[in-house]
Amino acid sequence: MNLDVILPLAFFLVLVFLIGIYTSRHIKSGPSFLQDYFLAGRELGGFVLAMTMVATYGSASSFIGGPGAAYQLGLGWVLLAMAQLVTGYFTLAVLGKKFAIVARKINAVTLIDFLKARYESKWVVILSALSIVIFLFSAMAAQWVGGGRLIESFTGVSYTTALFIFSGSVLVYVIAGGFRAVVITDAIQGVVMVIGTIIILAGTIVAGGGIENIMGELRAENPNLISPFGSDESLTPLFVSSFWILVGVGVVGLPQISVRAMSYRNSKAMHRAMIIGTFVVGFIMLGMHLAGVFGRVILPGIEVPDKVMPLLALEVLPGWLAGIVLAAPLAAVMSTVDSVLLLVSSAIIKDVYINYIKPDAEERFVKRLSFGITAVVGLSVFAMAINPPDLLIWLNLFAFGGLEAAFIWPIVMGLYWKRGNANGAIASIVVGVGSYMWIHLNYPNLWGMHTVVMPIVLAFFAYIVGSFTKGDSPQTNTF
Amino acid sequence: MKKGNDWRYRISNKEAIMGSVLAILNFIWWYAFAYGLGGRPVKEYTYILGFPAWFFYSCILGFIVFTILVFIMVKFFFKEVPFDSDDNEGEGDSR
């Protein structure tokens, strides 16, 4: 690949790196260190909140895997991708001001702080921390591999070197800058994602001779490409609808998303974030997946779906513009792994160490520990990503849906149902994760729906039944 | 601990319901246009701005309409409440 393409990519990496470093100078010490390092002092404004939610949620699959699938299946896959529009407003609306207010009252820094205060149960904390550390660690390693592969394919350097470049740029700003560096870089990465979408969509439409022409050629090739059912008629309405759970409303249960719902400054920030977030997530998903479909007319016969986006960008755009477009998936991967890295390290430090091992740890020590653990987690992900063990790949299969099934009810019902208690939450986590893994292994896509649907239903009933067995509901009025 | 619920929770509960209702409407709009119009044989499709009508209404117009609806919901129905303590106050105490 030529220098034209690599220069914008390199510029982007350096820019993110510098901004991350610059932001880290704002980290405070003193009693607010943990709040500051893991939550940026709850000061996020609307734009940054919207961007960090979209960027954390949007991963390589929004820019590489998704458009590749749209290339193969046609408009039906774009329809499926648009189920994600709801994530732009639903998470913030449902967790709502209540989550932000409760988090302030109980001084929660992590999702588990909230669960701990709500359920007052050691087992809820331990199970949650375990799920977060195990699932998110493996999910992060998978994204890390993706980031390395992206750099490898764009620049031609070896995988290990690529991984080194990727880890170097992410790790330094996350360790030094914490949440604030993560969200500020997320905002920039989000902007890059939007600009990349505009460029590739416009370039593809022009190269394809206009939308009408493109649709005509798709129809001539295979009419099903422009139907909602997919080129091979595999996309049934039920299957596509079930993605409203997996990538739509279920996202409330993802800890890396819900923790952001306690980080904003005030109501106004939340309101603005809902509007901006809905627009941005809808625009990116619509634009990128449409570009994938349109690409079929311009570059027919690509066998490997993951290659569609890179090849398309190089085909329809001048080198330097292609570089900007290809920075978008890299931005998406970086903005996902930086958030998850910080979340895993917060689970270890705040939820396990300070809660159970040494509640009276000294401030200075906690600070050093935070930097240290974040670095250790980051470096071990890097080490794993060089040659990912099978166990990790296996665990990653369950990460997304498993976390949703584990946490959606303990969070949502914990907020809105007074009778919900620790027994319910424990039952919900165990049943959610357990049934997700079991169904995924034995009956994938049970009854024509995505695997995630049944575990979420089962976890709901487990929560209700568990809560009606013995166990106390909270005695305070905090919730 | 005061008796009764925090007054802000009532507002939050109402907003959570509004958000869920909007999500359900969003789903209905998306589904009805996609499979209502798109379920017909491809030969009978009509086109808007080059796109098949089902896709235009479900995905493109749906995206625009629901972004506007979120805007309306947030601007006119969501209330601003203070976050920091039970009693209302300005936002002047940020560190």
Side-chain angles (χ1 to χ4, degrees):
Chain A
M1 213 169 271
N2 52 28
L3 208 62
D4 285 5
V5 182
I6 296 175
L7 273 178
L9 270 176
F11 176 75
F12 166 73
L13 280 177
V14 172
L15 181 76
V16 166
F17 184 81
L18 289 180
I19 289 170
I21 299 295
Y22 176 78
T23 335
S24 69
R25 300 196 341 212
H26 293 277
I27 291 282
K28 296 185 190 107
S29 25
S32 62
F33 171 77
L34 277 177
Q35 297 237 6
D36 211 57
Y37 191 70
F38 289 121
L39 227 43
R42 301 185 213 278
E43 284 170 357
L44 299 200
F47 177 76
V48 174
L49 176 63
M51 283 312 203
T52 186
M53 290 192 85
V54 174
T56 301
Y57 170 68
S59 64
S61 74
S62 326
F63 289 87
I64 303 286
Y71 176 91
Q72 292 192 309
L73 292 165
L75 290 182
W77 195 265
V78 188
L79 177 71
L80 183 150
M82 285 310 279
Q84 298 170 90
L85 179 66
V86 70
T87 58
Y89 58 89
F90 188 74
T91 307
L92 280 175
V94 163
L95 296 180
K97 289 159 188 149
K98 186 159 182 187
F99 196 57
I101 294 166
V102 169
R104 278 169 166 77
K105 282 187 180 173
I106 60 178
N107 233 349
V109 172
T110 65
L111 175 65
I112 296 178
D113 282 339
F114 165 77
L115 297 174
K116 178 174 182 249
R118 172 64 179 78
Y119 296 109
E120 295 169 339
S121 153
K122 194 165 85 178
W123 283 106
V124 173
V125 174
I126 291 173
L127 284 174
S128 317
L130 266 182
S131 321
I132 287 184
V133 171
I134 293 175
F135 283 135
L136 282 184
F137 187 86
S138 38
M140 177 164 53
Q143 289 276 329
W144 218 272
V145 173
R149 293 246 183 268
L150 276 178
I151 297 183
E152 178 192 21
S153 66
F154 297 161
T155 59
V157 300
S158 77
Y159 174 67
T160 318
T161 315
L163 207 58
F164 198 77
I165 298 173
F166 179 75
S167 312
S169 39
V170 174
L171 278 181
V172 173
Y173 76 76
V174 178
I175 295 167
F179 194 79
R180 186 171 285 117
V182 167
V183 295
I184 300 292
T185 51
D186 278 3
I188 295 161
Q189 285 150 350
V191 172
V192 169
M193 286 153 69
V194 171
I195 295 173
T197 306
I198 298 175
I199 297 174
I200 188 72
L201 185 61
T204 320
I205 292 175
V206 172
I211 294 166
E212 219 161 302
N213 185 44
I214 294 172
M215 288 300 155
E217 290 196 33
L218 287 173
R219 190 178 48 214
E221 189 200 333
N222 176 355
N224 285 325
L225 281 169
I226 61 167
S227 82
F229 304 107
S231 54
D232 53 359
E233 295 184 75
S234 61
L235 301 173
T236 64
L238 182 64
F239 181 70
V240 176
S241 298
S242 68
F243 277 76
W244 276 73
I245 309 280
L246 181 72
V247 296
V249 297
V251 169
V252 174
L254 291 179
Q256 66 269 42
I257 301 296
S258 43
V259 74
R260 281 162 166 66
M262 50 168 85
S263 67
Y264 51 90
R265 189 190 302 142
N266 52 28
S267 318
K268 206 179 234 148
M270 172 207 173
H271 295 170
R272 284 193 61 193
M274 285 172 67
I275 301 169
I276 300 171
T278 306
F279 178 78
V280 171
V281 80
F283 183 80
I284 290 176
M285 296 307 165
L286 184 63
M288 288 309 294
H289 289 83
L290 262 183
V293 177
F294 292 171
R296 196 178 178 91
V297 170
I298 298 155
L299 283 176
I302 302 176
E303 294 291 331
V304 184
D306 282 1
K307 290 204 168 146
V308 172
M309 256 8 255
L311 289 176
L312 191 62
L314 291 173
E315 169 74 21
V316 303
L317 299 170
W320 63 278
L321 272 182
I324 298 176
V325 169
L326 296 180
L330 199 61
V333 176
M334 286 172 85
S335 56
T336 303
V337 297
D338 61 6
S339 318
V340 175
L341 171 59
L342 203 63
L343 193 76
V344 171
S345 115
S346 75
I348 297 173
I349 296 158
K350 184 74 175 56
D351 302 330
V352 177
Y353 184 78
I354 295 186
N355 273 350
Y356 293 111
I357 300 176
K358 208 166 190 308
D360 54 348
E362 244 185 278
E363 194 64 36
R364 260 207 351 256
F365 181 68
V366 169
K367 187 172 175 177
R368 280 214 308 270
L369 191 72
S370 301
F371 295 134
I373 296 280
T374 312
V376 169
V377 173
L379 290 173
S380 29
V381 178
F382 170 64
M384 294 276 186
I386 294 178
N387 190 7
D390 291 342
L391 177 68
L392 210 73
I393 296 166
W394 187 77
L395 280 170
N396 178 49
L397 290 177
F398 314 110
F400 200 82
L403 283 168
E404 286 183 358
F407 288 118
I408 187 165
W409 301 119
I411 300 173
V412 173
M413 298 294 273
L415 273 177
Y416 295 107
W417 193 45
K418 273 221 173 308
R419 283 215 53 171
N421 60 30
N423 287 356
I426 293 168
S428 190
I429 294 173
V430 171
V431 168
V433 174
S435 65
Y436 188 85
M437 294 178 80
W438 189 74
I439 293 177
H440 190 84
L441 292 174
N442 295 296
Y443 306 97
N445 298 337
L446 185 65
W447 298 321
M449 296 177 294
H450 188 277
T451 307
V452 78
V453 178
M454 283 320 287
I456 285 190
V457 172
L458 293 174
F460 177 76
F461 288 112
Y463 188 96
I464 304 281
V465 171
S467 293
F468 277 115
T469 62
K470 201 177 136 300
D472 305 321
S473 33
Q475 299 300 309
T476 70
N477 275 324
T478 311
F479 298 97
Chain B
M1 202 65 59
K2 284 190 305 188
K3 256 280 184 236
N5 276 332
D6 193 317
W7 61 275
R8 297 170 297 183
Y9 290 170
R10 285 228 320 278
I11 293 173
S12 182
N13 291 354
K14 227 165 49 192
E15 293 177 357
I17 292 172
M18 280 192 265
S20 308
V21 170
L22 192 69
I24 292 169
L25 293 177
N26 197 167
F27 175 77
I28 294 172
W29 175 292
W30 171 92
Y31 190 96
F33 278 116
Y35 297 106
L37 287 175
R40 292 184 293 184
V42 176
K43 263 177 283 181
E44 296 169 21
Y45 279 6
T46 51
Y47 295 85
I48 298 171
L49 299 176
F51 292 101
W54 72 265
F55 184 81
F56 178 81
Y57 287 120
S58 174
C59 294
I60 298 176
L61 195 65
F63 163 50
I64 297 168
V65 164
F66 278 87
T67 305
I68 294 171
L69 285 180
V70 169
F71 180 82
I72 292 172
M73 175 174 85
V74 161
K75 280 280 173 219
F76 298 104
F77 296 98
F78 274 32
K79 293 199 172 66
E80 285 194 26
V81 300
F83 280 175
D84 279 323
S85 77
D86 289 309
D87 308 303
N88 61 327
E89 57 176 335
E91 293 160 14
D93 70 336
S94 57
R95 279 141 293 171

